[in-house]
Amino acid sequence: MLDEQEIRRLLLATAARDVDAFARLYKRCAPLLLGVAQRITRRRELAEEVLHDSFTRIWRAADSFDPFGAPVGWMTAIVRNRAIDVMETHDMARVDSYHAALDDKPEASLDQMFDWSSADTAEDALDASRLRAFLRRCLGELVAAERQALVLAYEHGLSHGDLAAHLGKPLGTVKTWIRRGMLNLRACIDQCTGNSGAGR
Amino acid sequence: MRLARHRQLEAVIGEYMLGTLRGGARRRFERALREEPAVALRLRTLQQEFTPNYSERIAQTPPAAGWQRLERELNLARYRTPWYSRVSFLRVWAVGVTAALLLSLSLLTLRTSTEMTLTPIAQLAMKGAAPSVVAAVSADRRTLQLRAARPIVAGPLQSYELWVIPEGGAPLSLAVLGQLDGTLQVPEGHRRQLRKGALLAISVEPAGGSPTGAPTGPVILSGAIS
């Protein structure tokens, strides 16, 4: 797992135009971010373009990184948004290829793709790892259809329309799954954080 | 319309994090993120709760020439060359303006402080805006002074809190303030943190300061100590 404190330091140094820090940031993060792009574009050459564009953006926008925010999350969001944009402009017959390529087991995918471990020992990572455990538990408690819609949308950057086509369901149904899934997730996590706060 | 007061804000942020907010809707949201601190704060909180960590298992080896291409296209070499070999008219001009600014700031400081000399150490600015608060310290780092370009006064239910964030460390509270103008005593344990590389930041907190000891509200101003 990437060391959030180290990445934060490199990102802040990058904002100060420290090229060596930017080079280290690239070395540390490019493999994971390329993987994120690949999950969405599903084509290596497009994923490489997304990675390149994303690091260009990271260099240019590093000074707008919120020092209190999550550094890896910030970069991941840049990569995901860029990958989604690239896929939208290419407008390739993606749904067809998705049918063949997508894994239909969001359960397995959830644990393959994400790291839910709580191995961090750094002080302020404790909260983060607790929140991760809550998120994993709450995803597990969702209705299967809602969980599948959320995981597919997040992992592969599918739009409502892509999801409807892929799952063979009406658009309205898919939108409802997404909306309800997010609401239920929110409610469950609020309950977890509220309970754990009172319990300790 | 202010998105911060929109009753669908949570749902919009949810779709943004998920990636299903598209086209114009996403661009409107991203504009709100830049313009409305409350929206950015809400996103930050939700991101902390909802963003899973990608596993190293999905990592892939980047293309061999990937870094060289970035270096070339962003012309990164110019950030490495020694300063005397990249002097050009524009830079001389910029250095001159900076020097004049620093001189006028120090003259200002000299005028306003009768007893001690304060050295400017950081210019605090809103994201992407011109610096609006200058922080200066005494030689012994006991006294820190904030000078705002225009009055910035906290609302009745809020306070401002000044933080120093050491390189690679967690934010340490320096002071709770009602307005961003004035002189304060730096807590003894934090004096040595006021050094190059650390960040100064000001967040908006409930009246009396952060209840948790860490920033809980939006950061309105920040700047590196140089």
Side-chain angles (χ1 to χ4, degrees):
Chain A
M1 197 184 304
L2 293 168
D3 176 351
E4 294 265 331
Q5 291 295 352
E6 186 199 2
I7 305 300
R8 184 192 315 276
R9 197 171 50 72
L10 292 177
L11 207 44
L12 293 174
T14 298
R17 307 288 84 161
D18 177 341
V19 177
D20 293 325
F22 185 48
R24 280 209 299 285
L25 188 70
Y26 181 87
K27 197 160 176 242
R28 291 270 193 293
C29 303
L32 189 74
L33 294 178
L34 182 60
V36 172
Q38 173 82 23
R39 303 302 276 208
I40 295 174
T41 63
R42 309 209 63 91
R43 277 170 53 185
R44 172 77 190 195
E45 72 276 17
L46 287 181
E48 287 180 5
E49 279 309 302
V50 167
L51 184 73
H52 176 79
D53 294 350
S54 299
F55 268 97
T56 303
R57 169 117 190 93
I58 288 168
W59 170 256
R60 294 198 173 127
D63 62 348
S64 72
F65 165 66
D66 171 354
F68 298 109
V72 179
W74 184 78
M75 290 191 295
T76 305
I78 288 177
V79 172
R80 295 187 67 241
N81 283 337
R82 181 68 201 146
I84 286 169
D85 287 346
V86 164
M87 291 308 278
E88 282 199 331
T89 50
H90 274 71
D91 196 28
M92 47 194 55
R94 56 189 304 208
V95 171
D96 288 344
S97 63
Y98 272 124
H99 269 303
L102 289 195
D103 20 44
D104 273 323
K105 301 186 194 69
E107 303 290 340
S109 174
L110 259 181
D111 292 317
Q112 272 297 311
M113 186 175 49
F114 299 115
D115 190 339
W116 304 100
S117 67
S118 47
D120 304 77
T121 46
E123 278 171 54
D124 67 346
L126 280 178
D127 259 357
S129 78
R130 239 161 37 113
L131 284 171
R132 263 201 312 280
F134 293 153
L135 179 59
R136 181 66 189 88
R137 190 195 309 164
C138 291
L139 277 166
E141 286 177 12
L142 289 182
V143 183
E146 293 172 6
R147 176 172 52 247
Q148 186 185 29
L150 292 186
V151 173
L152 281 173
Y154 193 83
E155 177 176 9
H156 298 297
L158 298 195
S159 67
H160 292 136
D162 296 335
L163 277 171
H166 174 67
L167 298 170
K169 296 286 179 193
L171 189 61
T173 307
V174 167
K175 283 188 176 171
T176 307
W177 282 344
I178 296 267
R179 199 181 57 241
R180 271 214 315 256
M182 287 302 279
L183 280 176
N184 290 337
L185 209 51
R186 157 97 266 158
C188 174
I189 286 181
D190 279 348
Q191 207 181 17
C192 285
T193 48
N195 282 347
S196 74
R200 272 149 208 256
Chain B
M1 174 163 51
R2 303 263 87 181
L3 184 60
R5 286 201 288 272
H6 200 289
R7 62 192 172 79
Q8 298 277 27
L9 176 65
E10 293 280 304
V12 173
I13 292 182
E15 300 260 353
Y16 176 74
M17 290 193 301
L18 197 60
T20 48
L21 195 67
R22 297 296 168 97
R26 192 177 101 199
R27 280 191 294 279
R28 278 195 297 281
F29 177 77
E30 285 170 340
R31 192 169 62 230
L33 267 187
R34 289 192 296 274
E35 293 172 358
E36 300 179 46
V39 174
L41 176 68
R42 191 69 195 133
L43 175 65
R44 193 172 88 195
T45 310
L46 290 175
Q47 259 173 346
Q48 272 157 4
E49 295 179 1
F50 282 93
T51 311
N53 277 350
Y54 278 99
S55 158
E56 299 283 354
R57 277 188 294 268
I58 69 162
Q60 302 199 356
T61 311
W67 171 252
Q68 281 77 6
R69 183 176 161 206
L70 272 175
E71 221 173 9
R72 194 174 59 243
E73 289 186 14
L74 292 172
N75 191 10
L76 296 182
R78 72 195 150 112
Y79 294 96
R80 290 190 201 268
T81 46
W83 66 271
Y84 49 80
S85 64
R86 52 188 155 95
V87 169
S88 66
F89 170 72
L90 196 64
R91 291 203 178 88
V92 170
W93 179 78
V95 168
V97 167
T98 308
L101 184 71
L102 285 176
L103 184 67
S104 61
L105 280 175
S106 47
L107 285 177
L108 190 74
T109 318
L110 280 176
R111 255 210 322 248
T112 50
S113 68
T114 45
E115 289 178 347
M116 68 186 101
T117 314
L118 296 169
T119 316
I121 52 164
Q123 307 202 19
L124 308 188
M126 260 180 255
K127 269 171 207 167
S132 49
V133 173
V134 175
V137 288
S138 58
D140 60 5
R141 297 188 195 159
R142 284 165 186 268
T143 308
L144 190 150
Q145 185 189 57
L146 294 178
R147 276 275 169 260
R150 58 181 173 76
I152 306 176
V153 180
L157 299 177
Q158 318 173 311
S159 293
Y160 294 126
E161 193 150 358
L162 175 67
W163 307 86
V164 60
I165 309 163
E167 235 177 321
L172 303 166
S173 176
L174 290 179
V176 177
L177 306 161
Q179 58 174 341
L180 298 185
D181 206 59
T183 306
L184 55 101
Q185 294 301 309
V186 180
E188 192 173 356
H190 297 350
R191 281 174 200 152
R192 61 192 179 82
Q193 304 296 352
L194 294 177
R195 59 168 173 233
K196 190 172 174 351
L199 274 179
L200 287 179
I202 291 167
S203 68
V204 181
E205 299 293 340
S210 162
T212 66
T216 61
V219 172
I220 51 166
L221 294 165
S222 64
I225 295 181
S226 55

